[in-house]
Amino acid sequence: MQDPIYVAFATQKGGAGKSTLTTLVASYLHYVLGKRVLALDCDPRQHSMVEYREKDKLLIRENPVVKRRFARFMEQFRGDAYEIVKCSPATALDYAEKEIQKGEPPEYVFFDITGTVNDREIVNLLAAMDYLFVPITPETGDLKSSIGFAHNVNEQMLFKEGCNVKGLFLVWNKVQPKDRNNLCQIINRYVASLCIESLDTILPMSVKYTKDGDTSGRCGIFRSTFMPPDKSLLRNSQLPELVDEILATIEPD
């Protein structure tokens, strides 16, 4: 049996969508494609994935419509929800190993990490990843931060002794239609000159990415740690395309 693939969405600036993307990709892989997934929330500043899971539990408990939808899905799915483990960057790898040893190991382990190369514990964790994905948005501060982080990783970590990373890729997120064919292309050419690759899939600016339901009434749910996105909301989201490209990147064979 192959070892689990360690994947991290990492940025050093909040707002680019790393926790949301980690949740969406992990949930799509697990609940839509039937992949075995484990998630480690090791961002000590906010632990967003743990908060998403707690809100999902509240939603299922308090909203009868969502409760019935969840029950129907789990009956069809015939599996368990994937585990989300709250930990620190220093303990994340130990927690991952303990979870892997419990039973049938996950195929993918996702790490939600604060991106920085100035913290030894975070650097050690980043170096243990198989693949790093860095969300980038057209917002000026996000552009500078994401490119700077990716460049620092490339220069200071990749291909160095003790670094396991096989590839680092920027992921365009929250992109307005007007930016797809100008700004994104310009930035992609620039980062290519820095030997940084970008995925082809571009995620549009849309409120659906954070649509996680209400505690009453009927509601469409896109981001959930217990269920797949509503099919009606997948249209034009580019999430299936992103997951397909990620799989093609980390499993080229």
Side-chain angles (χ1 to χ4, degrees), residues 8-16 18-19 22 42-46 89 111-127 129 132-135 142 144-153 156-157 168:
F9 286 84
T11 58
Q12 58 187 0
K13 181 178 180 295
K18 70 176 178 62
S19 298
T22 305
C42 35
D43 183 348
R45 296 181 303 183
Q46 48 193 355
F111 295 77
D112 186 5
I113 308 175
T114 301
T116 177
V117 292
N118 297 319
D119 184 302
R120 176 50 53 187
E121 292 176 350
I122 292 176
V123 168
N124 290 340
L125 182 56
L126 291 171
M129 297 299 104
L132 291 173
F133 295 94
V134 181
D142 289 342
K144 182 178 179 181
S145 177
S146 296
I147 294 173
F149 169 65
H151 182 59
N152 285 336
V153 171
Q156 299 182 34
M157 292 178 58
L168 178 148

Side-chain angles (χ1 to χ4, degrees), residues 1-22:
M1 185 174 293
Q2 289 185 335
D3 291 334
I5 298 174
Y6 283 12
V7 178
F9 286 84
T11 58
Q12 58 187 0
K13 181 178 180 295
K18 70 176 178 62
S19 298
T20 289
L21 289 178
T22 305

Side-chain angles (χ1 to χ4, degrees), residues 232-253:
S232 61
L233 295 175
L234 278 175
R235 189 178 304 113
N236 299 322
S237 71
Q238 295 299 111
L239 178 60
E241 290 81 359
L242 174 65
V243 174
D244 286 345
E245 187 174 7
I246 288 174
L247 289 178
T249 299
I250 65 181
E251 294 186 349
D253 296 331

Side-chain angles (χ1 to χ4, degrees), residues 127-201:
M129 297 299 104
D130 292 300
Y131 294 91
L132 291 173
F133 295 94
V134 181
I136 182 172
T137 81
E139 195 274 322
T140 302
D142 289 342
L143 277 173
K144 182 178 179 181
S145 177
S146 296
I147 294 173
F149 169 65
H151 182 59
N152 285 336
V153 171
N154 255 358
E155 292 293 304
Q156 299 182 34
M157 292 178 58
L158 262 58
F159 312 115
K160 302 292 177 64
E161 184 177 356
C163 183
N164 192 52
V165 178
K166 302 175 181 66
L168 178 148
F169 304 87
L170 296 179
V171 181
W172 281 103
N173 190 27
K174 302 181 182 181
V175 178
Q176 299 280 10
K178 64 181 177 63
D179 292 322
R180 287 181 59 94
N181 295 322
N182 44 48
L183 179 62
C184 290
Q185 291 183 2
I186 293 170
I187 297 299
N188 282 346
R189 287 195 294 269
Y190 169 67
V191 297
S193 70
L194 301 175
C195 299
I196 300 171
E197 296 184 69
S198 301
L199 295 186
D200 293 331
T201 305

